[in-house]
Amino acid sequence: MWLAQEETEATVSMMAEIDATPFDISPADLSGELPIMPLRNAVMFPSVILPVSVGRPSTMKLVKAAQKKESLIVIATQRMTDVEEPELKDLYRIGVIGKVLRIFELPGGNATVLLQSNGPKIHLDTITARFPYLRGTVTVVPENMQEDENDDEMKILEKTCRESSLKYIELSDQLVADTAFAIKNLKGVEMLANFIGSNFPLPVEDKMKLLEINVLKERLYLLNSVLDRQNQLAMLKLNIQQRTQVDLDRQQREYFLQQQLKNIQDELGNGNDDDMALLSAKSKKKHWPAYVDEAFARELKKLSRINPQSPDYNVQLSYLQTLLALPWEVYSKDDINLNNADRILNRDHYGMEKVKERILEHLAVLKLKGNLKSPILCLFGPPGVGKTSLGRSIADSLKRKYVRMSLGGVHDEAEIRGHRKTYIGAMPGRIVKSLIKAETSNPVIILDEIDKLGSDRQGDPASAMLEVLDPEQNNTFHDNYIDLDYDLSKVMFIATANNLASIPTPLLDRMELIEVSGYITEEKIEIARRHLIPKELEANGLTKKQVKFSKDAIEFIVENYTRESGVRELEKKIGKIMRKIALEFAREGHESLHNIKPAEVRKYLGVEEYSRDKYQGNGYAGVVTGLAWTAVGGEILFVETSLSKGKGGRLTLTGNLGDVMKESAMLALEYLKAHSSLLDLPEGIFDNWNIHIHVPEGAVPKDGPSAGITLVTSLASALTQRKVRKNVAMTGEITLRGKVLPVGGIKEKILAAKRAGITDIVLCAENRKNIEEIQPIYLEGLTFHYVHDIKEVLDFALTNEKVPEAIDFSIVTENKQEAPSAADAHS
């Protein structure tokens, strides 16, 4: 093991005090079992003294025992340095015989040991013991070292070896200066070769090759070759270091020259470089507020004092370029033509009358007043109804630039307000970036999916949006990166959302909410005919002369292959049909007219994926049709009530009902208990009959108060065994006093009833206003019955006709001791 330079110098001084007289070795001394000392990263040659560092406990025991007994030891080298307990296969088999001269104890349990080798080389034959240290048997390796040192070849080899070793000492930083003195004064060629092999930091593999050679002249040839290679590597390393130093010196020299040149240019009045001149020229063309001009001049002066090679230079330059890129007081001129705006909105979107009306109102006021703070509109509704694409149409109608900003998944406040420019990698927020992209200060910016904003340890971006979306505050919007107020009052923000419940109340309060409800079947047919089919024809390389859809085919797709409020799935199904037709054209090599009808739809799209619920008649007591609102539109649902004999009058509710709907069922039952005389119910009926209410499709969660009157009617029909009027559906919330309250989703509900074949709809009188907002064409064939309390519902919905096989309640109520039977009423 190699020692540090300080330890080597100290060891050399100690060696001067040690008697290193060569010792004699007889064959008898090598005939028995000898201790074996393994070395790491070191090879010992005959007739040399070598200091090694000892750290292994077993090796420490060996050297102490050898010094005490003055016994001979075998010194061998390990093949792998990381092996702690080497075996025979882990050691080179050629080694030397030596002894321990001196042990120098060091702190920490380690020690430096001076070893002296003498006699011939040996071959390690076997290892006979491993504890407390290695022991084994050896045999002598014969050598031919009796060379004529006066031979010319030997003289030249010796001279070359000394010169190469002295040059290596000069180039290497691992050898002490005293080594050169030793090289010059060593006598004998063999001693020179062994000293260099033992003490020079040559690769272990090369040292072992030298040790294994038994002819002196061959060993010298190999030693000269190894030293020459090491000298070349040392020269290469030195050249690399010098070249690196030269490059560093050149960079420093160029830096000082540039600084001197800059000082000279400043003295001559030519200190502005190209960046400074370009920025200054652009700033003169900007018509920005005075406070921005002052801030820009101040920051530009700061840039002039920064060294261009400094990282701060690019940070400052990027900031100034961002200030110049912002459209300060640059506005596009609004083209206020109400007829043209109305045409564009109707061209791009079918329906959405409220949204279109609100946009036209804004344009009308803007035309009369000439200046108006832009409103903050929030379009909310189910996915796929065209909320996002509506923003582009609004921008077209206003002749303004359009920018879409997706907020879904944004959870860092700095995404909205930007980072302070002192941070590494700072940049402006999305609002400023959108203005730079639009190149005007009054674009239409769509804040898409504003209800999907998140929040984490980096802040709440929804709170950062409060200033953006407040018409009273956004005229001085402050971005952290710009660090200057910017006027956003002329920007028309249009937010889109699917669920208002996830939007914070303060943010919701700043926006004008406009509901974009789902499309009814008739509207979807028109949207497909006007927009989706032409779009998919173009996307698939087809024309109107090649593919035509009948109205029945479009309705068949809507009713049987989609279940959504919007039209995304409808567009996908139409696209699928187009692709299959394109495949037929490509295979057959000729094109013919494809007139798509329901039969062809089934051919291209396969078996129907969905089925609409249909009215099932009134042949059973306790079965009433209700109306429900879902995210994919309106649906009808059936409420079923069954009676079974049993004491206690237990109420069971099934069908995956939510808490609100369960409460409505309990309200309905309590109301009928309190008003049993209203229906002439037998006395004790609630004590002797268990009631089970079920809403089919149990895998679908159901909740909400709108099934209240449906539950009351179902219970009343089961308890009286009276039929429910044909083709009737109902929706409305109830109170314990029997009042009927209004509910939402009326448009979707009545259209679902119409599809199911319902003719009469019962709902709260306060929902009349919702019916009046629907176009009359969609209400044809429907009769509405407006009610105020439950009595009116029951008077209309229940007939005086009993169902077949009606239950006779008098048997159980008169004979209360009779055991309950398992017979149930049909439901």
Side-chain angles (χ1 to χ4, degrees):
M1 301 178 192
W2 290 105
L3 305 174
Q5 182 171 347
E6 296 79 8
E7 294 178 322
T8 304
E9 293 175 345
T11 305
V12 170
S13 64
M14 294 176 190
M15 289 170 60
E17 304 173 3
I18 297 173
D19 181 14
T21 305
F23 52 92
D24 297 325
I25 301 176
S26 63
D29 297 329
L30 304 179
S31 60
E33 186 182 68
L34 295 175
I36 301 173
M37 179 178 180
L39 300 181
R40 304 184 194 183
N41 290 327
V43 178
M44 194 162 187
F45 285 73
S47 304
V48 297
I49 295 176
L50 183 68
V52 296
S53 177
V54 175
R56 279 185 285 208
S58 59
T59 306
M60 185 65 71
K61 293 178 182 178
L62 184 151
V63 297
K64 288 182 177 180
Q67 185 188 37
K68 183 177 180 180
K69 298 177 182 179
E70 297 184 352
S71 60
L72 299 178
I73 63 174
V74 177
I75 304 173
T77 302
Q78 287 187 205
R79 296 181 181 273
M80 303 296 292
T81 60
D82 56 349
V83 178
E84 287 297 326
E85 298 179 2
E87 300 177 355
L88 186 62
K89 63 183 177 61
D90 300 319
L91 300 173
Y92 286 101
R93 306 295 284 274
I94 301 299
V96 296
I97 296 296
K99 67 178 182 179
V100 178
L101 295 181
R102 181 73 63 86
I103 301 176
F104 302 98
E105 298 285 347
L106 299 175
N110 294 339
T112 298
V113 179
L114 287 182
L115 301 176
Q116 181 184 8
S117 62
N118 204 0
K121 295 184 296 184
I122 54 90
H123 181 274
L124 182 58
D125 296 331
T126 61
I127 292 180
T128 58
R130 298 181 57 83
F131 300 99
Y133 42 77
L134 289 177
R135 293 190 298 276
T137 60
V138 298
T139 55
V140 176
V141 177
E143 290 185 278
N144 181 15
M145 293 295 171
Q146 301 301 321
E147 297 285 346
D148 185 4
E149 296 185 3
N150 294 321
D151 181 46
D152 292 337
E153 185 178 2
M154 287 295 294
K155 289 180 179 179
I156 293 174
L157 284 171
E158 180 184 1
K159 182 179 179 182
T160 305
C161 185
R162 290 183 189 273
E163 290 175 352
S164 297
S165 59
L166 291 173
K167 183 178 180 181
Y168 185 75
I169 294 170
E170 182 182 350
L171 295 173
S172 175
D173 55 358
Q174 301 183 43
L175 293 171
V176 296
D178 291 342
T179 309
F181 178 80
I183 292 291
K184 293 177 182 179
N185 292 278
L186 277 172
K187 303 298 183 182
V189 181
E190 182 181 357
M191 182 59 113
L192 175 66
N194 291 340
F195 180 85
I196 295 173
S198 291
N199 292 281
F200 277 41
L202 304 176
V204 173
E205 293 79 10
D206 292 338
K207 290 186 176 186
M208 287 305 304
K209 289 178 182 178
L210 291 170
L211 182 62
E212 291 168 357
I213 295 176
N214 298 323
V215 180
L216 180 58
K217 187 179 290 186
E218 293 179 6
R219 182 181 293 180
L220 288 174
Y221 270 111
L222 180 59
L223 180 58
N224 277 315
S225 175
V226 171
L227 288 173
D228 185 64
R229 184 176 72 247
Q230 293 298 319
N231 285 334
Q232 292 180 15
L233 292 174
M235 285 294 297
L236 180 60
K237 179 180 178 182
L238 184 61
N239 289 335
I240 292 173
Q241 291 176 344
Q242 290 176 349
R243 190 178 307 157
T244 305
Q245 184 64 34
V246 168
D247 290 340
L248 291 174
D249 292 341
R250 184 185 299 116
Q251 290 179 4
Q252 292 176 352
R253 181 171 175 271
E254 289 176 356
Y255 172 75
F256 288 119
L257 288 175
Q258 287 177 354
Q259 289 297 107
Q260 292 176 359
L261 179 61
K262 183 177 179 181
N263 293 334
I264 293 171
Q265 289 177 339
D266 289 339
E267 291 294 328
L268 295 174
N270 299 323
N272 289 336
D273 56 9
D274 293 339
D275 287 338
M276 298 283 294
L278 184 61
L279 293 172
S280 180
K282 286 184 177 180
S283 67
K284 293 178 180 177
K285 298 179 182 179
K286 300 290 289 187
H287 301 286
W288 46 25
Y291 69 91
V292 180
D293 194 28
E294 294 175 1
F296 184 85
R298 184 171 59 253
E299 298 295 330
L300 187 63
K301 187 176 181 181
K302 186 185 299 182
L303 179 68
S304 66
R305 296 194 297 267
I306 301 176
N307 177 25
Q309 295 183 352
S310 170
D312 293 337
Y313 183 85
N314 285 329
V315 173
Q316 187 71 4
L317 180 62
S318 298
Y319 173 72
L320 292 172
Q321 289 173 340
T322 303
L323 284 183
L324 288 172
L326 273 169
W328 299 92
E329 298 188 359
V330 176
Y331 303 100
S332 60
K333 186 177 181 181
D334 291 328
D335 183 11
I336 306 175
N337 187 326
L338 298 180
N339 293 330
N340 182 57
D342 192 19
R343 180 186 61 80
I344 291 175
L345 294 173
N346 289 325
R347 177 199 67 191
D348 295 341
H349 292 83
Y350 183 81
M352 296 188 180
E353 302 303 329
K354 285 186 178 181
V355 183
K356 295 176 183 177
E357 183 180 359
R358 180 63 186 87
I359 299 302
L360 293 176
E361 289 173 359
H362 172 71
L363 293 179
V365 176
L366 185 62
K367 183 176 182 179
L368 294 176
K369 188 177 180 182
N371 186 17
L372 179 68
K373 288 185 178 180
S374 292
I376 313 296
L377 304 180
C378 179
L379 309 178
F380 70 95
V385 296
K387 302 183 297 296
T388 303
S389 60
L390 185 64
R392 186 179 293 277
S393 300
I394 294 173
D396 289 343
S397 64
L398 292 171
K399 293 295 188 289
R400 289 190 182 186
K401 294 292 184 69
Y402 166 83
V403 180
R404 175 181 168 272
M405 193 169 76
S406 178
L407 298 179
V410 174
H411 55 80
D412 187 356
E413 180 185 351
E415 289 283 334
I416 307 299
R417 286 188 170 276
H419 307 77
R420 297 199 177 278
K421 62 180 180 179
T422 53
Y423 295 150
I424 296 175
M427 62 180 65
R430 292 195 178 195
I431 300 296
V432 171
K433 286 182 180 178
S434 299
L435 293 172
I436 294 175
K437 181 180 178 180
E439 298 179 345
T440 65
S441 292
N442 63 337
V444 175
I445 297 181
I446 301 297
L447 304 174
D448 209 10
E449 308 290 355
I450 197 171
D451 58 325
K452 307 298 189 304
L453 283 172
S455 61
D456 60 8
R457 59 181 180 81
Q458 294 174 316
D460 183 9
S463 300
M465 292 296 295
L466 294 177
E467 182 184 8
V468 176
L469 300 183
D470 192 340
E472 300 299 326
Q473 299 180 26
N474 63 9
N475 59 339
T476 56
F477 173 69
H478 190 86
D479 185 274
N480 292 329
Y481 182 79
I482 302 298
D483 203 21
L484 295 169
D485 291 340
Y486 196 93
D487 186 5
L488 298 179
S489 62
K490 304 298 189 298
V491 179
M492 187 171 188
F493 291 102
I494 300 178
T496 69
N498 299 129
N499 182 19
L500 296 181
S502 60
I503 303 177
T505 304
L507 185 59
L508 203 62
D509 183 60
R510 284 163 165 78
M511 299 184 290
E512 182 176 341
L513 302 179
I514 299 177
E515 182 180 5
V516 184
S517 57
Y519 297 115
I520 61 175
T521 301
E522 289 79 2
E523 290 175 331
K524 290 182 180 179
I525 294 172
E526 283 299 314
I527 292 171
R529 187 178 62 82
R530 297 185 185 189
H531 302 288
L532 303 183
I533 293 176
K535 179 181 176 182
E536 290 300 322
L537 284 172
E538 182 180 357
N540 292 279
L542 301 173
T543 64
K544 294 181 180 179
K545 296 181 180 180
Q546 295 170 327
V547 182
K548 289 186 178 179
F549 280 79
S550 67
K551 182 177 179 180
D552 293 340
I554 301 174
E555 183 176 0
F556 189 75
I557 297 173
V558 172
E559 294 289 343
N560 298 284
Y561 294 93
T562 66
R563 178 164 287 185
E564 58 177 347
S565 295
V567 291
R568 282 205 184 106
E569 189 66 24
L570 176 59
E571 183 178 0
K572 293 177 184 177
K573 298 301 181 184
I574 293 174
K576 184 177 181 180
I577 294 175
M578 299 287 191
R579 290 192 299 273
K580 290 187 178 295
I581 294 174
L583 179 61
E584 291 179 3
F585 286 166
R587 283 179 173 172
E588 296 173 0
H590 67 276
E591 302 175 357
S592 59
L593 175 63
H594 277 63
N595 193 2
I596 306 300
K597 295 183 179 179
E600 283 74 19
V601 171
R602 188 179 288 107
K603 169 188 171 184
Y604 290 123
L605 298 182
V607 180
E608 293 88 337
E609 299 178 12
Y610 305 103
S611 61
R612 296 287 182 179
D613 289 329
K614 299 296 181 183
Y615 177 69
Q616 299 179 358
N618 65 341
Y620 301 97
V623 180
V624 182
T625 305
L627 299 174
W629 179 93
T630 68
V632 297
E635 296 286 347
I636 67 170
L637 55 82
F638 301 100
V639 176
E640 304 173 348
T641 300
S642 172
L643 302 178
S644 61
K645 298 174 185 176
K647 297 294 183 180
R650 184 177 70 253
L651 174 64
T652 304
L653 302 173
T654 57
N656 202 351
L657 308 183
D659 293 337
V660 177
M661 200 165 180
K662 290 178 180 178
E663 291 174 357
S664 296
M666 290 186 283
L667 277 174
L669 181 60
E670 292 302 321
Y671 176 82
L672 291 178
K673 286 182 178 180
H675 300 81
S676 58
S677 60
L678 183 68
L679 298 173
D680 295 329
L681 297 179
E683 184 179 356
I685 188 173
F686 294 105
D687 297 328
N688 297 285
W689 293 87
N690 293 326
I691 301 174
H692 186 165
I693 299 177
H694 177 68
V695 183
E697 297 187 21
V700 180
K702 310 169 191 71
D703 202 5
S706 60
I709 62 174
T710 311
L711 290 164
V712 172
T713 307
S714 176
L715 283 168
S717 173
L719 292 170
T720 60
Q721 295 295 292
R722 293 161 60 182
K723 284 187 176 183
V724 179
R725 189 183 296 271
K726 288 184 178 180
N727 301 318
V728 169
M730 56 187 67
T731 181
E733 183 181 356
I734 61 172
T735 69
L736 196 58
R737 296 176 297 159
K739 297 293 182 181
V740 178
L741 304 180
V743 293
I746 296 299
K747 179 181 177 182
E748 289 80 4
K749 289 178 179 178
I750 67 167
L751 293 172
K754 186 177 180 181
R755 288 194 300 267
I758 300 297
T759 59
D760 294 270
I761 297 178
V762 180
L763 67 166
C764 178
E766 294 184 32
N767 284 125
R768 185 190 297 268
K769 60 181 182 296
N770 303 106
I771 303 299
E772 294 173 351
E773 293 179 355
I774 302 174
Q775 297 183 23
I777 188 174
Y778 302 134
L779 304 179
E780 292 180 358
L782 294 176
T783 303
F784 297 94
H785 304 272
Y786 302 105
V787 296
H788 296 85
D789 56 40
I790 295 176
K791 294 178 182 179
E792 297 178 40
V793 176
L794 298 179
D795 289 342
F796 173 77
L798 296 181
T799 66
N800 293 324
E801 182 183 359
K802 296 279 187 177
V803 297
E805 301 179 4
I807 299 174
D808 188 0
F809 295 106
S810 61
I811 299 175
V812 176
T813 54
E814 291 177 1
N815 187 6
K816 296 183 181 180
Q817 301 301 322
E818 182 181 345
S821 68
D824 293 335
H826 292 288
S827 62

